[in-house]
């Protein structure tokens, strides 16, 4: 009886281990670094969202922008195909965690809260947020004191850091969130909100395009930020490769040259649909 009990316990443990352990291809995939999986499949899947000038559609419907340049070069250097996966911004981290794509390259600001969910690379971009205000509604108002009032309304894109930053800086004001930056800008142009906030240079470009309606209440950044690629946590080999790639292209000047083109010029504006 003692021997039979021992055999039964052993068989039970073996069955449990077989049930819990990943099998076949799934076990191999779980133990294979993402960077090797990308090479094996021949495709890099990048999660991104539309932001001017990070990622935009041109007249032919193709994606262009700073992030598109970065993702394209990364795929080229890996000698794989690039697959862009447009994703709603407020769901982009959950989409990464559910393996809808390999990496976020989308102007994702590096924050401690986000770093609890994903692993960030070293920064590949440094930028900031700005404010565009309705010229008529804010006439005579002083920044920032006069904007912290119950009758003031801000607009921003849902899921972006600037929404929470405006709520923190202006607790008495109303912060309305929209699914697209262009909609937030239009709310201010139409006089439905006093001001909007977004990653630069969108607020600056909005003022340039609407000089009779909009004004910049401050010329400096509202908040400064650094951006990194984001991958699922725990993959040290993939993180090491991406860090090396960012460092090499930062030191060579390539990242800065592309950033300057998209953020300091409007040479690309003619490519966009009117």
């Amino acid at each position: 009886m003692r021997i039979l009990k021992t055999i039964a316990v052993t068989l039970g443990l073996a069955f449990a281990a077989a049930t819990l352990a990943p099998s076949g291809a799934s076990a191999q995939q779980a133990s294979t670094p993402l960077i090797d999986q990308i090479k094996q499949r021949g495709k890099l899947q990048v999660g991104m969202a539309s932001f001017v000038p990070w990622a935009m559609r041109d007249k032919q419907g193709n994606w262009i922008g700073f992030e598109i340049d970065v993702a394209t070069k990364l795929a080229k250097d890996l000698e794989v195909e690039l697959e862009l996966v447009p994703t709603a911004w407020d769901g982009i981290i959950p989409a990464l965690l559910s393996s809808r794509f390999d990496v976020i390259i989308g102007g994702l600001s590096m924050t401690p809260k986000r770093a609890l969910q994903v692993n960030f690379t070293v920064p590949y971009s440094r930028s900031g947020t700005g404010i565009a205000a309705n010229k008529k509604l804010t006439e005579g108002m002083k920044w920032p004191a006069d904007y912290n009032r119950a009758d003031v309304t801000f607009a921003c894109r849902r899921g972006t850091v600037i929404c929470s930053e405006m709520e923190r800086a202006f607790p008495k004001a109303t912060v309305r969130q929209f699914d697209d930056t262009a909609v937030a800008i239009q709310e201010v142009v139409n006089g439905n909100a006093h001001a909007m906030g977004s990653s630069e240079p969108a607020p600056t470009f909005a003022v340039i395009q609407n000089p009779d309606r909009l004004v910049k209440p401050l010329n400096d950044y509202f908040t400064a930020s650094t951006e990194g690629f984001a991958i699922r946590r725990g993959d040290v080999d993939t993180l090491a490769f991406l860090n090396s790639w960012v460092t090499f292209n930062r030191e060579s000047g390539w990242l800065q040259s592309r950033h300057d083109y998209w953020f300091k010029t409007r040479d690309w504006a003619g490519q966009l649909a009117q």
Side-chain angles (χ1 to χ4, degrees):
M1 289 298 295
R2 189 175 300 160
I3 293 173
L4 289 174
K5 288 181 179 179
T6 301
I7 293 173
V9 170
T10 302
L11 289 173
L13 291 174
F15 177 77
T19 302
L20 294 173
S23 61
S26 61
Q28 182 180 1
Q29 187 177 41
S31 62
T32 303
L34 174 62
I35 193 65
D36 294 333
Q37 295 178 41
I38 292 168
K39 292 289 288 182
Q40 290 166 9
R41 94 165 76 102
K43 181 185 294 184
L44 171 68
Q45 298 169 318
V46 172
M48 38 70 70
S50 60
F51 285 94
V52 178
W54 306 85
M56 309 162 286
R57 295 280 193 181
D58 67 10
K59 293 177 180 178
Q60 290 73 43
N62 300 314
W63 287 107
I64 61 170
F66 176 60
E67 303 294 5
I68 309 305
D69 284 358
V70 173
T72 299
K73 181 168 175 52
L74 176 59
K76 182 180 179 181
D77 291 347
L78 282 169
E79 298 181 332
V80 298
E81 178 187 346
L82 173 64
E83 179 185 345
L84 297 172
V85 185
T87 306
W89 186 249
D90 57 346
I92 201 164
I93 289 180
L96 172 69
L97 300 181
S98 63
S99 301
R100 281 192 55 205
F101 42 77
D102 302 317
V103 56
I104 297 173
I105 304 179
L108 188 66
S109 300
M110 303 168 69
T111 67
K113 183 177 180 180
R114 287 173 173 167
L116 292 172
Q117 299 176 282
V118 301
N119 281 158
F120 281 107
T121 63
V122 294
Y124 72 101
S125 173
R126 288 179 172 82
S127 59
T129 59
I131 303 292
N134 182 284
K135 183 180 289 187
K136 184 176 181 180
L137 291 181
T138 60
E139 185 177 3
M141 291 175 61
K142 294 182 179 179
W143 180 272
D146 292 344
Y147 285 75
N148 189 28
R149 301 191 322 225
D151 61 339
V152 171
T153 299
F154 285 93
C156 61
R157 180 169 181 166
R158 195 182 322 278
T160 56
V161 171
I162 196 170
C163 290
S164 56
E165 287 296 323
M166 288 192 297
E167 290 173 340
R168 180 192 59 79
F170 306 104
K172 296 179 181 178
T174 298
V175 177
R176 298 173 58 205
Q177 301 188 30
F178 300 88
D179 291 331
D180 191 85
T181 301
V183 178
I185 292 172
Q186 197 60 46
E187 285 293 293
V188 181
V189 172
N190 294 343
N192 298 325
H194 289 73
M196 63 78 59
S198 175
S199 296
E200 285 287 7
T204 298
F205 289 165
V207 172
I208 292 172
Q209 293 166 348
N210 301 275
D212 57 331
R213 299 282 188 90
L214 301 181
V215 66
K216 293 201 71 177
L218 75 166
N219 292 320
D220 201 359
Y221 286 143
F222 176 58
T223 61
S225 64
T226 55
E227 294 80 35
F229 300 172
I231 62 172
R232 292 178 286 279
R233 294 175 61 186
D235 190 338
V236 295
D237 291 326
T238 302
L239 190 63
F241 169 78
L242 293 175
N243 281 338
S244 297
W245 188 91
V246 169
T247 300
F248 178 83
N249 286 285
R250 188 177 60 208
E251 295 303 315
S252 72
W254 183 85
L255 281 168
Q256 188 62 55
S257 69
R258 299 318 299 158
H259 193 275
D260 287 349
Y261 173 77
W262 291 105
F263 285 83
K264 294 185 179 180
T265 79
R266 291 270 295 170
D267 295 346
W268 43 266
Q271 301 179 54
L272 304 182
Q274 298 300 321

